[in-house]
Amino acid sequence: MMPLTTERCVLTPLFIKHLPTMVKLYRNAEVREYLGGIRTIEEVKEQMENMLMNLSSYY
């Protein structure tokens, strides 16, 4: 799948290499304030593994 690129944004498919960035987002209280609160690193990893196993349902 090719990345979707605009002047201000590049969207790429999800890969395990994105885990550190996902952890930062899911552990940030400001980001997660209205999204159910922060998640543990293990929860983020588990959710990302589920996303990667079910990519067709996200695209």
Side-chain angles (χ1 to χ4, degrees):
M1 181 177 283
M2 300 269 310
L4 175 63
T5 306
T6 71
E7 190 175 311
R8 296 176 53 193
C9 182
V10 177
L11 298 176
T12 60
L14 185 64
F15 292 105
I16 196 66
K17 70 180 184 179
H18 297 120
L19 181 59
T21 303
M22 296 286 285
V23 168
K24 286 181 187 176
L25 286 172
Y26 279 74
R27 303 270 307 145
N28 184 309
E30 256 185 274
V31 171
R32 300 291 302 171
E33 183 175 358
Y34 302 106
L35 300 171
I38 62 171
R39 304 296 169 115
T40 66
I41 294 171
E42 195 56 42
E43 288 173 320
V44 177
K45 185 177 179 186
E46 184 179 321
Q47 182 169 2
M48 186 159 188
E49 288 170 351
N50 288 335
M51 287 178 182
L52 290 170
M53 287 177 22
N54 300 299
L55 279 177
S56 63
S57 64
Y58 289 94
Y59 293 109

